Each structure stands twice: as structure tokens, then as C-alpha cells.
Amino acid sequence: MQEQDDNRQLQGGPLGDGARALIIGAAALVIIFGLRQAQPVIIPVLMAGFLAIISYSVTGLLRRFLRFPHWLAVVATVAFDFVVLYAVASLIQFLAMDMKATLQGEFSVRFNELYNDTMAWLGTIGLEESARAIVASPQDLFDVNKVLSITQTITGQIVSLLSTCTLVLILMTFFLGEAPLFLRNLRALPNSTKGKDDFLRALQGIQKYLFIKTVSSVATGLLVWGMCEWLNVPFAFLWAVLAFVLNYIPTIGSIVAAIPGIVMALTMNGWGCAMLIAAGYLFINCAIGNGIEPLFLGKQFGIATSVVILSVIFWGWMWGPCGMLLAVPISVLIKLALENSEDLSWVAKIVDDEPDKNPEHS
């Protein structure tokens, strides 16, 4: 009897639950540490998978409409991606060097003038001393040397990305080439296999999400480019590329992408242009992010918005910009794994954002 009571306590009692929680927590910390240390290996694999999922639709179109054999469709897709990536990276590198000269010259002079004019205006309403106590010099608001250092870092990362681009494209080629085999083997599994249907739906949902996100990002970039060109904001194409890339990052990305363009418009063209640019960014992001994307995606994954934002922050801390780009797909796969876990399925219920099926209990 005593042995049965001890077993019952270990399996379901307070001691058993506490021990299980400690083991799960320790395992999570070990996994997080391992993933962070393995970043140089994991990032190329994840980026290859990211590009493969986005590009698989192109491969399918080439096979369906142009009757390409699968191997030729894969080669054509990878070649197209390589040309686009290399062209955009090279152009960004060139624009970053051009922007460096502008920041050191005309931009710096105009920013100092803007600071002095603003302080003079604050002086007319008796707030200059308070403002100078908070911001004693233009460098406290915008340090050109720090911006140049960040620009050089970004340029170096772009060069590093180009050096690893070959590995990413090779992995992407294998992923695209073996995608039909993987899907066929997955569908051939018995229907009773736990999580099979959920995994298939998750893969299809991720592919649809990334495709719609790519289309909306292209639309965002083109609109930002046209707006900045129309209002004569310097480096319009650079802000467009920034808007395109950061649009993949939910909520946070759109806000960050708008800041450089607004600052450049304010400094070079004045308050009126800056307000128009800010209003334009707001309209574009609201129209696409809150209007068009939900129309096509809906509640695609059933994850609470706050959890998505936290996942962007967490994966950004783990793997930098690449982690932020892949935060949503990673979160979807983690949620799927939690749903199929007996011990942790309750975590998936907490972060769920599906409509309430029993409204009378709400």
C-alpha cells in the first residue's frame, strides 16, 4: 500500500508535478542555449527553408503553365532568386555608401539648423531652457557617427550574407527538389497518425502566409517608393527596400521601417514633408496590414497578437533580424507541437486566438 501511495504521489501529486515542471524548465533553458549557440548553422538552414516555401509557388507555376520538368523548374526558380537577392544586396550596399556621404555633409548641416530653429521656436514660448536640459545638443538626438557605424555594420552583414548566399541557395535547391517527395510521403502516412493532418494544415498555412506576406510586402515597398519619389525624399528606393523587408516582421517592422524615411524627410524637406510622409506610411500600413492582409489571411494561425509580438522580440534576441523574419512560422510550429503534447497542450490553449465555440461561457 505504501509503495502504491508513493507511485501515485510521484505520478500526479504535488511532488510529481513540481519535478516535471522543473525538468521541463531545465530542458527549455538547455534548448534555448543550444539554439543560440548554433545560430551560424541554423540561420542558413532556416533562410533556405524560408525562401523555399516562398518560391515553391513559382516552381509550381512553371511546372503547371510552362510544362517545365520539375528539375528545370527548380533550377529556374533558384536562379531567379539568386539574381534578385544579389541585385538588391548590391544596390543596398551602393546606396548605403552614398548615404554615408550625405549624412556627413548636407544632412548633418541641415539637422543642426533644424535643431537650432526648433530651440529658437521653443524659446518664444518659454520652453527653450527645459528643452536644452533634456537635449543639450543635436548629437543627443541624432549622432551621425553612431548612424555611420550602424550603416557600416549593416553593409558588412550584407557582404557576409552574400558570402553565405551560395550555401543557402544550395540548401534551397534540395528543399525545392525534394518537396514533392516529402509531401507524398507525409500524405501516405496512416490517417490515424497523431498530428498528421494538423501538420499538413500548418505547412499549407505557412506557405499561404508567406506568399500573401510577400505580395503585401512588395506592394508596401512600391507604394513607399512612389510616395518618397513624389515628395523628393532622398534615397527613396532604400526606404522602399527597408519597408519591403521589415513588413515581414509583424507590427514592429512597419513602425521601424517608417522612422528613417520620416527623419530624412524632416531634415531635408521640412516639417510639412515629414508630416505627409508619416501620414503616408500610416495609410499604407493600415490599408495593407489591417485591411488587405486580414482579408486574404483571416485568423490564419489562431495565435494571440500579444504572443506574436513577444515571439518577434524573443526570436529577434535569439537570432537577430532573421529570427524576427521567421518568428511567425516558428511560433506556428511550436504551437502545433504544444497542441500534440499531453503535458503542454494547456500552453497552446492559453495563446490560442480562435473564436469562442461556446459564447455563453465567455
Side-chain angles (χ1 to χ4, degrees), residues 51-52 54-59 61-62 66 68 71-89 165 169 172-173 176 211 214 218 244 248:
L51 291 174
I54 293 176
S55 304
Y56 189 69
S57 300
V58 177
T59 305
L61 291 174
L62 292 175
L66 298 181
F68 278 22
W71 68 269
L72 183 58
V74 170
V75 171
T77 302
V78 173
F80 174 77
D81 287 347
F82 173 78
V83 170
V84 171
L85 289 174
Y86 187 83
V88 171
C165 187
L169 291 175
M172 175 186 165
T173 303
L176 285 175
F211 178 77
T214 300
V218 170
F244 165 77
Y248 283 99

Side-chain angles (χ1 to χ4, degrees), residues 150-178:
I150 294 173
T151 303
Q152 291 174 352
T153 301
I154 293 174
T155 304
Q157 289 178 348
I158 291 172
V159 174
S160 176
L161 176 62
L162 290 177
S163 65
T164 60
C165 187
T166 302
L167 173 61
V168 171
L169 291 175
I170 289 174
L171 290 172
M172 175 186 165
T173 303
F174 282 103
F175 290 161
L176 285 175
E178 296 181 353

